[in-house]
Amino acid sequence: MLDTRDFRGRLGGLPAKVLRGVAHQPVRFVLTLPVKAAYKVCQVLQEIHQISRS
């Protein structure tokens, strides 16, 4: 069973994680951003669906 606080905590930590990626590898970040964004949206929607079912 998923805990909504855990989900919110991970979602809230994303901006800092993204900024670290930009600072360390800017070119790689730009090239992989579309794929990562699409994957993250799917992942978040899947978790919301799981939370709503519990």
Side-chain angles (χ1 to χ4, degrees):
M1 183 170 145
L2 291 173
D3 184 11
T4 57
R5 286 175 289 171
D6 177 52
F7 176 70
R8 289 180 184 163
R10 286 186 290 124
L11 196 58
L14 286 177
K17 192 174 181 182
V18 168
L19 289 177
R20 281 194 304 271
V22 171
H24 293 292
Q25 298 176 336
V27 174
R28 182 175 182 217
F29 175 80
V30 170
L31 294 176
T32 61
L33 186 61
V35 173
K36 287 181 179 181
Y39 176 74
K40 187 54 67 178
V41 168
C42 291
Q43 194 176 33
V44 168
L45 291 174
Q46 193 173 44
E47 289 194 31
I48 289 172
H49 179 71
Q50 288 178 347
I51 290 170
S52 68
R53 289 190 311 162
S54 60

Coordinates of all heavy atoms in Angstrom, one line a residue:
M1 N 0.8 -1.2 0.0 CA 0.0 0.0 0.0 C 0.9 1.2 0.0 O 1.9 1.3 0.7 CB -0.9 0.0 1.2 CG -1.8 1.1 1.3 SD -3.0 0.8 2.6 CE -3.2 2.5 3.2
L2 N 0.5 2.2 -0.8 CA 1.3 3.4 -0.9 C 0.9 4.5 0.1 O -0.3 4.6 0.4 CB 1.2 4.0 -2.3 CG 1.8 3.2 -3.4 CD1 1.5 3.9 -4.8 CD2 3.3 3.2 -3.3
D3 N 1.8 5.2 0.6 CA 1.5 6.2 1.6 C 1.5 7.6 0.8 O 2.5 7.9 0.1 CB 2.5 6.2 2.7 CG 2.3 7.3 3.8 OD1 1.1 7.8 3.8 OD2 3.1 7.5 4.6
T4 N 0.5 8.4 0.9 CA 0.4 9.6 0.2 C 1.5 10.6 0.6 O 2.0 11.4 -0.2 CB -1.0 10.3 0.3 OG1 -1.2 10.5 1.7 CG2 -2.0 9.5 -0.3
R5 N 1.9 10.5 1.9 CA 3.0 11.4 2.4 C 4.3 11.1 1.7 O 5.1 12.0 1.3 CB 3.2 11.3 3.9 CG 2.0 12.1 4.6 CD 2.2 11.9 6.1 NE 1.8 10.4 6.3 CZ 2.0 9.8 7.4 NH1 2.5 10.4 8.4 NH2 1.6 8.5 7.6
D6 N 4.6 9.8 1.5 CA 5.8 9.4 0.8 C 5.7 9.9 -0.7 O 6.7 10.4 -1.2 CB 5.9 7.8 0.8 CG 7.1 7.3 0.0 OD1 8.2 7.8 0.3 OD2 6.9 6.4 -0.8
F7 N 4.6 9.7 -1.3 CA 4.4 10.2 -2.7 C 4.6 11.7 -2.8 O 5.4 12.2 -3.7 CB 3.0 9.8 -3.2 CG 2.7 10.3 -4.6 CD1 3.3 9.8 -5.7 CD2 1.8 11.3 -4.7 CE1 3.0 10.2 -6.9 CE2 1.4 11.8 -6.0 CZ 2.1 11.2 -7.1
R8 N 4.0 12.4 -1.9 CA 4.2 13.9 -1.9 C 5.6 14.3 -1.7 O 6.1 15.3 -2.2 CB 3.3 14.5 -0.9 CG 1.8 14.5 -1.3 CD 0.9 15.1 -0.3 NE -0.5 14.9 -0.6 CZ -1.4 15.1 0.2 NH1 -1.2 15.4 1.5 NH2 -2.7 14.9 -0.2
G9 N 6.3 13.6 -0.8 CA 7.7 13.9 -0.5 C 8.6 13.7 -1.7 O 9.5 14.5 -2.0
R10 N 8.4 12.6 -2.4 CA 9.2 12.3 -3.6 C 8.9 13.3 -4.7 O 9.8 13.8 -5.4 CB 9.0 10.9 -4.0 CG 9.6 9.9 -3.1 CD 9.6 8.5 -3.7 NE 8.2 8.0 -3.6 CZ 7.5 7.5 -4.6 NH1 8.0 7.5 -5.8 NH2 6.3 7.1 -4.5
L11 N 7.6 13.7 -4.8 CA 7.2 14.6 -5.8 C 7.8 16.0 -5.5 O 8.3 16.7 -6.4 CB 5.7 14.7 -5.9 CG 5.1 15.4 -7.1 CD1 5.5 14.7 -8.4 CD2 3.6 15.4 -7.0
G12 N 7.8 16.4 -4.2 CA 8.4 17.7 -3.8 C 9.9 17.7 -4.0 O 10.5 18.8 -4.1
G13 N 10.6 16.6 -4.0 CA 12.0 16.6 -4.1 C 12.5 16.6 -5.6 O 13.7 16.8 -5.8
L14 N 11.6 16.6 -6.5 CA 12.0 16.5 -7.9 C 12.7 17.8 -8.4 O 13.8 17.7 -9.1 CB 10.8 16.3 -8.8 CG 10.3 14.8 -8.8 CD1 9.1 14.7 -9.7 CD2 11.4 13.9 -9.3
P15 N 12.3 19.0 -8.0 CA 13.0 20.2 -8.5 C 14.5 20.2 -8.2 O 15.3 20.6 -9.0 CB 12.2 21.4 -7.9 CG 10.8 20.8 -7.7 CD 11.0 19.4 -7.3
A16 N 14.8 19.9 -6.9 CA 16.2 19.9 -6.5 C 17.0 18.9 -7.3 O 18.1 19.1 -7.7 CB 16.3 19.7 -5.0
K17 N 16.4 17.7 -7.5 CA 17.1 16.7 -8.2 C 17.3 17.1 -9.7 O 18.4 16.8 -10.2 CB 16.2 15.4 -8.2 CG 16.9 14.2 -8.6 CD 16.0 13.0 -8.4 CE 16.6 11.7 -8.8 NZ 15.7 10.6 -8.6
V18 N 16.4 17.8 -10.3 CA 16.5 18.2 -11.7 C 17.6 19.3 -11.7 O 18.4 19.2 -12.6 CB 15.2 18.8 -12.2 CG1 15.3 19.5 -13.5 CG2 14.1 17.7 -12.3
L19 N 17.7 20.2 -10.8 CA 18.7 21.3 -10.8 C 20.1 20.7 -10.7 O 21.0 21.2 -11.3 CB 18.4 22.3 -9.7 CG 17.2 23.2 -10.0 CD1 17.0 24.1 -8.8 CD2 17.4 24.0 -11.2
R20 N 20.2 19.6 -9.9 CA 21.5 19.0 -9.8 C 22.0 18.4 -11.1 O 23.1 18.5 -11.5 CB 21.5 17.9 -8.7 CG 21.6 18.4 -7.3 CD 21.9 17.3 -6.3 NE 21.0 16.2 -6.3 CZ 19.9 16.2 -5.6 NH1 19.5 17.2 -4.8 NH2 19.0 15.2 -5.6
G21 N 21.0 17.8 -11.8 CA 21.3 17.2 -13.1 C 21.8 18.3 -14.1 O 22.7 18.1 -14.9
V22 N 21.1 19.4 -14.1 CA 21.5 20.5 -15.0 C 22.9 21.0 -14.7 O 23.7 21.3 -15.6 CB 20.5 21.7 -14.9 CG1 20.9 22.9 -15.6 CG2 19.1 21.3 -15.3
A23 N 23.2 21.2 -13.4 CA 24.5 21.7 -13.0 C 25.7 20.8 -13.4 O 26.7 21.2 -13.8 CB 24.5 22.0 -11.5
H24 N 25.4 19.5 -13.3 CA 26.5 18.5 -13.5 C 26.7 18.1 -15.0 O 27.8 17.9 -15.4 CB 26.3 17.3 -12.6 CG 26.5 17.5 -11.2 ND1 27.6 17.9 -10.6 CD2 25.5 17.5 -10.2 CE1 27.5 18.1 -9.3 NE2 26.2 17.9 -9.0
Q25 N 25.6 18.0 -15.7 CA 25.7 17.5 -17.1 C 24.7 18.2 -17.9 O 23.6 17.6 -18.3 CB 25.5 16.0 -17.2 CG 26.6 15.2 -16.4 CD 26.3 13.7 -16.4 OE1 25.1 13.3 -16.6 NE2 27.3 12.9 -16.3
P26 N 24.9 19.5 -18.2 CA 23.9 20.3 -18.9 C 23.5 19.7 -20.3 O 22.3 19.7 -20.7 CB 24.5 21.7 -19.0 CG 25.9 21.5 -18.8 CD 26.1 20.3 -18.0
V27 N 24.4 19.3 -21.1 CA 24.1 18.8 -22.5 C 23.3 17.5 -22.4 O 22.3 17.3 -23.1 CB 25.4 18.6 -23.3 CG1 25.1 17.9 -24.6 CG2 26.1 19.9 -23.5
R28 N 23.7 16.6 -21.5 CA 23.0 15.3 -21.4 C 21.6 15.6 -20.9 O 20.6 15.0 -21.3 CB 23.8 14.4 -20.4 CG 23.1 13.1 -20.3 CD 23.9 12.1 -19.4 NE 23.3 10.9 -19.3 CZ 23.3 10.1 -18.2 NH1 23.9 10.5 -17.1 NH2 22.6 9.0 -18.2
F29 N 21.5 16.5 -19.9 CA 20.2 16.9 -19.4 C 19.2 17.3 -20.5 O 18.1 16.9 -20.5 CB 20.3 18.0 -18.3 CG 19.0 18.5 -17.8 CD1 18.4 17.8 -16.8 CD2 18.5 19.6 -18.3 CE1 17.2 18.2 -16.3 CE2 17.3 20.1 -17.8 CZ 16.6 19.4 -16.8
V30 N 19.7 18.2 -21.3 CA 18.8 18.7 -22.4 C 18.4 17.6 -23.4 O 17.3 17.6 -23.8 CB 19.5 19.9 -23.1 CG1 18.8 20.3 -24.4 CG2 19.7 21.1 -22.2
L31 N 19.4 16.7 -23.7 CA 19.1 15.7 -24.7 C 18.1 14.6 -24.1 O 17.4 14.0 -24.9 CB 20.4 15.0 -25.1 CG 21.3 15.9 -25.9 CD1 22.6 15.2 -26.2 CD2 20.7 16.4 -27.2
T32 N 18.2 14.4 -22.8 CA 17.3 13.3 -22.3 C 16.1 13.8 -21.6 O 15.2 13.1 -21.2 CB 18.1 12.5 -21.2 OG1 18.5 13.4 -20.2 CG2 19.3 11.8 -21.8
L33 N 15.9 15.1 -21.6 CA 14.7 15.7 -20.9 C 13.4 15.3 -21.4 O 12.5 14.9 -20.6 CB 14.8 17.3 -20.9 CG 13.8 18.0 -20.1 CD1 13.8 17.6 -18.6 CD2 13.9 19.5 -20.3
P34 N 13.1 15.3 -22.7 CA 11.8 14.8 -23.2 C 11.4 13.4 -22.8 O 10.3 13.2 -22.4 CB 11.9 14.9 -24.7 CG 13.0 15.9 -25.0 CD 14.0 15.7 -23.8
V35 N 12.4 12.5 -22.9 CA 12.1 11.1 -22.5 C 11.8 11.0 -21.0 O 10.9 10.4 -20.5 CB 13.3 10.2 -22.9 CG1 13.1 8.8 -22.4 CG2 13.4 10.2 -24.4
K36 N 12.7 11.7 -20.2 CA 12.5 11.6 -18.7 C 11.2 12.3 -18.3 O 10.5 11.8 -17.4 CB 13.6 12.4 -18.0 CG 14.9 11.6 -18.1 CD 16.0 12.3 -17.4 CE 17.3 11.6 -17.4 NZ 18.4 12.3 -16.6
A37 N 10.8 13.4 -19.0 CA 9.5 14.1 -18.6 C 8.3 13.2 -18.9 O 7.4 13.1 -18.1 CB 9.4 15.4 -19.4
A38 N 8.4 12.5 -20.1 CA 7.2 11.7 -20.4 C 7.2 10.5 -19.5 O 6.1 10.1 -19.0 CB 7.4 11.2 -21.9
Y39 N 8.3 9.9 -19.1 CA 8.3 8.8 -18.2 C 7.8 9.2 -16.8 O 7.1 8.5 -16.2 CB 9.7 8.2 -18.1 CG 9.9 7.1 -17.1 CD1 9.3 5.8 -17.4 CD2 10.5 7.3 -15.9 CE1 9.4 4.8 -16.5 CE2 10.6 6.3 -15.0 CZ 10.1 5.0 -15.2 OH 10.1 4.0 -14.3
K40 N 8.3 10.3 -16.4 CA 7.9 10.8 -15.0 C 6.4 11.1 -15.0 O 5.7 10.7 -14.0 CB 8.6 12.1 -14.7 CG 8.4 12.5 -13.2 CD 8.7 11.4 -12.2 CE 10.1 11.0 -12.1 NZ 10.4 10.0 -11.1
V41 N 5.8 11.6 -16.0 CA 4.3 11.9 -16.0 C 3.6 10.6 -15.9 O 2.6 10.4 -15.2 CB 3.9 12.6 -17.3 CG1 2.4 12.7 -17.5 CG2 4.5 14.1 -17.3
C42 N 4.0 9.6 -16.7 CA 3.4 8.2 -16.6 C 3.5 7.6 -15.3 O 2.6 7.0 -14.7 CB 4.0 7.3 -17.7 SG 3.6 7.8 -19.4
Q43 N 4.7 7.8 -14.7 CA 4.9 7.2 -13.3 C 4.0 7.9 -12.3 O 3.5 7.2 -11.4 CB 6.4 7.4 -13.0 CG 6.9 6.6 -11.8 CD 8.4 6.8 -11.6 OE1 8.9 7.9 -11.9 NE2 9.1 5.8 -11.2
V44 N 3.9 9.2 -12.3 CA 3.1 9.9 -11.4 C 1.6 9.6 -11.6 O 0.9 9.3 -10.6 CB 3.3 11.5 -11.5 CG1 2.2 12.2 -10.8 CG2 4.7 11.9 -11.1
L45 N 1.2 9.5 -12.8 CA -0.2 9.1 -13.0 C -0.5 7.7 -12.5 O -1.6 7.4 -12.0 CB -0.6 9.2 -14.5 CG -0.6 10.6 -15.1 CD1 -0.8 10.6 -16.6 CD2 -1.7 11.4 -14.4
Q46 N 0.4 6.8 -12.7 CA 0.3 5.4 -12.2 C 0.2 5.4 -10.7 O -0.6 4.7 -10.1 CB 1.4 4.6 -12.7 CG 1.3 3.1 -12.6 CD 2.4 2.3 -13.2 OE1 3.6 2.7 -13.1 NE2 2.1 1.3 -14.0
E47 N 1.0 6.2 -10.0 CA 1.0 6.2 -8.6 C -0.3 6.8 -8.1 O -0.9 6.4 -7.1 CB 2.2 6.9 -8.0 CG 3.4 6.1 -8.2 CD 4.6 6.6 -7.4 OE1 4.4 7.2 -6.3 OE2 5.7 6.4 -7.8
I48 N -0.8 7.9 -8.7 CA -2.1 8.5 -8.3 C -3.2 7.5 -8.5 O -4.1 7.4 -7.6 CB -2.3 9.7 -9.2 CG1 -1.4 10.9 -8.8 CG2 -3.8 10.2 -9.0 CD1 -1.4 12.1 -9.7
H49 N -3.2 6.7 -9.5 CA -4.2 5.7 -9.7 C -4.1 4.6 -8.6 O -5.2 4.2 -8.1 CB -4.0 5.0 -11.1 CG -4.9 3.9 -11.4 ND1 -6.3 4.2 -11.7 CD2 -4.8 2.6 -11.5 CE1 -6.9 3.0 -11.9 NE2 -6.0 2.0 -11.8
Q50 N -2.9 4.2 -8.2 CA -2.8 3.2 -7.2 C -3.3 3.8 -5.8 O -3.9 3.1 -5.1 CB -1.3 2.8 -7.0 CG -0.9 1.9 -8.2 CD 0.6 1.5 -8.1 OE1 1.3 2.1 -7.3 NE2 1.0 0.5 -8.8
I51 N -3.0 5.0 -5.6 CA -3.4 5.7 -4.3 C -4.9 5.8 -4.3 O -5.6 5.5 -3.3 CB -2.7 7.1 -4.1 CG1 -1.3 6.9 -3.8 CG2 -3.4 7.8 -3.0 CD1 -0.5 8.1 -3.9
S52 N -5.5 6.1 -5.4 CA -7.0 6.3 -5.5 C -7.7 5.0 -5.3 O -8.8 4.9 -4.8 CB -7.4 7.0 -6.8 OG -7.2 6.1 -7.9
R53 N -7.1 3.9 -5.6 CA -7.7 2.6 -5.5 C -7.6 2.1 -4.0 O -8.3 1.2 -3.6 CB -7.1 1.5 -6.4 CG -7.4 1.8 -7.8 CD -7.0 0.6 -8.7 NE -5.6 0.2 -8.5 CZ -5.1 -0.9 -8.9 NH1 -5.9 -1.8 -9.5 NH2 -3.9 -1.2 -8.7
S54 N -6.7 2.6 -3.3 CA -6.5 2.1 -1.9 C -7.4 2.8 -0.9 O -8.1 3.7 -1.1 CB -5.0 2.2 -1.5 OG -4.6 3.5 -1.5

